[in-house]
């Protein structure tokens, strides 16, 4: 992996990730952009203790532009985008409309490919590995920034999820607080350690691997399984067999195996419903916070809100109002369907 760091016209950082050195990354951003002025505010809900970000400036962010005006495609034929180069492999840049900035954290966009109509599932294993290397590199860099507590890499795919740019991309958030879900993980792991003397995530993985009816696929270093109490219609957790806190802790063997397994999972998701449209999903890397996360474990959670070819799972009254999830599909049945989606 070769990294080239440069700047956009408004001073935001742009990083090209290439599989080999020697690529010309000297193209300049010639857009007449003003410097980004955003001041997201963190407010804590006194009733729950959860932190909420108020980012009113995002109301004006780019929303479903036509393909010929996509800001994530390379700059071509006199049309300047967020990527000045005429081509790229993987590119990461500071979000122009960040939810987090300054002391509240930082938001970055990860462009997986220059191909506008592709998806992560269309990547080669080599390109998927380069994305993994970019995630890892940014995790290390952002973790070293003052005030950062946790780094979160994720992808939203599909208009049903709320994606406003169709180009295949993900995001990285550097939080200055622990997220509510991480706080739940920390509390559950501490209680499990106190009760059993063992690590929660090691036990969850061991139980899932033993309960083969919920395993979707497995390799030498990773296992993908549907969790026992899955919240979403089709939800898969992908764990390395060796517990590590974050992406920087993976070995070369673990990194080498990941792309093939992950691409297999994504392609199974796209075959689930027999529709021409790709399956909407969220792919979320859970990494331990920098302080107090010794009991947590790196893993990826992949899930879709689609429960059948023509039905979506909405977070309505019980889920949105009470955070009490109701799943219409048994985890064992979901795992079976994913195993059969060859």
């Amino acid at each position: 992996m070769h990294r080239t760091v440069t700047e956009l016209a408004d001073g935001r950082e742009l990083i090209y990730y290439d599989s080999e050195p020697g690529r010309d990354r000297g193209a300049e951003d010639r857009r007449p952009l003003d410097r980004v002025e955003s001041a997201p505010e963190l407010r804590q809900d006194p009733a729950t203790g959860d932190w909420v970000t108020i980012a009113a400036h995002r109301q004006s962010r780019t929303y479903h532009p036509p393909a010929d005006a996509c800001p994530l495609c390379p700059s071509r034929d006199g049309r300047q985008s967020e990527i000045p180069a005429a081509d790229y492999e993987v590119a990461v840049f500071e979000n122009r409309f960040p939810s987090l900035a300054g002391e509240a954290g930082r938001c970055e966009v990860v462009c997986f490919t220059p191909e506008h109509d592709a998806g992560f599932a269309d990547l080669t294993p080599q390109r998927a590995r380069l994305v993994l290397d970019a995630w890892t590199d940014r995790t290390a860099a952002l973790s070293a920034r003052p005030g950062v507590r946790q780094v979160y890499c994720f992808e939203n795919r599909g208009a049903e999820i709320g994606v406003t740019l169709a180009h295949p991309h993900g995001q990285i958030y550097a939080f200055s607080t622990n997220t509510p879900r991480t706080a739940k993980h920390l509390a559950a792991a501490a209680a499990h350690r106190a009760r059993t003397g063992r690590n929660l995530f090691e036990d969850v993985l061991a139980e899932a691997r033993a309960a083969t009816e919920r395993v979707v696929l497995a390799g030498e270093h990773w296992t993908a399984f549907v969790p026992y109490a899955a919240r979403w219609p089709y939800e898969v957790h992908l764990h390395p067999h060796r517990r590590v806190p974050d992406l920087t802790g993976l070995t070369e063997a673990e990194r080498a195996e990941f792309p093939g397994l992950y691409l297999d999972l994504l392609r199974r998701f796209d075959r689930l419903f027999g529709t021409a449209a790709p399956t909407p999903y969220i792919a979320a890397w859970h990494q331990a916070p920098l302080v107090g996360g010794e009991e947590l474990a790196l893993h990826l959670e992949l899930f879709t809100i689609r429960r059948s070819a023509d039905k979506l799972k909405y977070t309505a009254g019980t889920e949105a109002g009470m955070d009490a999830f109701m799943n219409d599909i048994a985890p064992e049945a979901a795992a079976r369907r994913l195993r059969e989606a060859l």
Side-chain angles (χ1 to χ4, degrees):
M1 182 269 289
H2 185 74
R3 179 199 316 106
T4 304
V5 181
T6 184
E7 277 193 357
L8 296 172
D10 53 11
R12 287 176 294 132
E13 190 173 39
L14 166 66
I15 308 167
Y16 294 101
Y17 289 91
D18 293 299
S19 53
E20 297 178 355
R23 300 295 299 272
D24 181 5
R25 297 306 182 200
E28 293 184 25
D29 182 7
R30 301 185 182 280
R31 296 173 296 172
L33 298 179
D34 295 328
R35 297 191 75 85
V36 173
E37 298 291 343
S38 59
E41 181 184 356
L42 282 175
R43 298 184 183 181
Q44 191 171 30
D45 182 346
T48 64
D50 293 347
W51 288 95
V52 177
T53 303
I54 309 299
H57 64 282
R58 283 176 53 79
Q59 189 75 333
S60 61
R61 67 188 184 273
T62 308
Y63 187 80
H64 292 299
D68 61 1
C70 174
L72 307 185
C73 287
S75 295
R76 294 173 181 163
D77 302 326
R79 183 183 63 81
Q80 294 288 306
S81 74
E82 291 279 66
I83 317 292
D87 196 12
Y88 64 86
E89 292 186 57
V90 175
V92 177
F93 60 87
E94 289 182 72
N95 198 322
R96 191 176 178 186
F97 303 95
S99 298
L100 306 170
E103 293 183 0
R106 173 159 156 148
C107 295
E108 299 181 344
V109 177
V110 184
C111 298
F112 303 140
T113 170
E115 301 301 324
H116 181 82
D117 295 320
F120 203 116
D122 299 314
L123 302 184
T124 65
Q126 294 76 19
R127 179 62 58 81
R129 169 60 191 267
L130 186 59
V131 175
L132 174 62
D133 290 342
W135 283 331
T136 305
D137 185 66
R138 296 312 300 153
T139 294
L142 293 171
S143 296
R145 292 174 64 90
V148 170
R149 293 284 299 271
Q150 183 178 20
V151 178
Y152 174 47
C153 307
F154 65 101
E155 180 192 2
N156 298 329
R157 203 273 288 270
E160 301 92 332
I161 295 292
V163 174
T164 59
L165 296 176
H167 194 104
H169 72 288
Q171 299 181 67
I172 304 175
Y173 278 26
F175 287 98
S176 61
T177 62
N178 288 341
T179 66
R181 186 156 173 81
T182 298
K184 289 183 178 181
H185 284 169
L186 290 168
H192 187 82
R193 175 67 74 180
R195 185 173 63 252
T196 68
R198 299 190 303 272
N199 177 266
L200 170 63
F201 290 91
E202 290 174 356
D203 281 0
V204 165
L205 177 60
E207 186 275 335
R209 296 182 70 191
T212 55
E213 68 272 16
R214 289 190 287 106
V215 172
V216 177
L217 54 88
E220 182 180 355
H221 302 288
W222 299 78
T223 292
F225 61 91
V226 178
Y228 175 73
R231 299 181 303 165
W232 300 98
Y234 293 92
E235 175 179 351
V236 175
H237 293 191
L238 180 59
H239 282 242
H241 296 165
R242 187 178 60 90
R243 185 167 65 91
V244 296
D246 57 35
L247 289 164
T248 68
L250 295 174
T251 64
E252 174 55 32
E254 291 160 345
R255 295 178 189 282
E257 186 178 71
F258 170 80
L261 289 177
Y262 186 47
L263 290 171
D264 189 341
L265 273 180
L266 294 180
R267 291 162 185 167
R268 288 170 188 265
F269 265 61
D270 277 345
R271 296 186 185 107
L272 268 176
F273 304 108
T275 58
T279 298
Y281 65 74
I282 292 175
W285 278 110
H286 288 263
Q287 306 196 82
L290 299 174
V291 177
E294 295 80 9
E295 288 290 319
L296 302 195
L298 169 74
H299 65 284
L300 183 140
E301 298 185 6
L302 172 69
F303 58 90
T304 180
I305 61 172
R306 181 168 287 166
R307 54 192 175 95
S308 69
D310 58 352
K311 295 183 178 69
L312 298 179
K313 164 68 175 179
Y314 292 100
T315 51
T318 58
E319 290 87 358
M322 293 301 289
D323 201 19
F325 275 72
M326 315 289 176
N327 194 348
D328 299 330
I329 298 175
E332 295 76 14
R336 183 174 61 253
R337 284 206 62 194
L338 284 163
R339 285 196 301 269
E340 294 169 352
L342 300 176

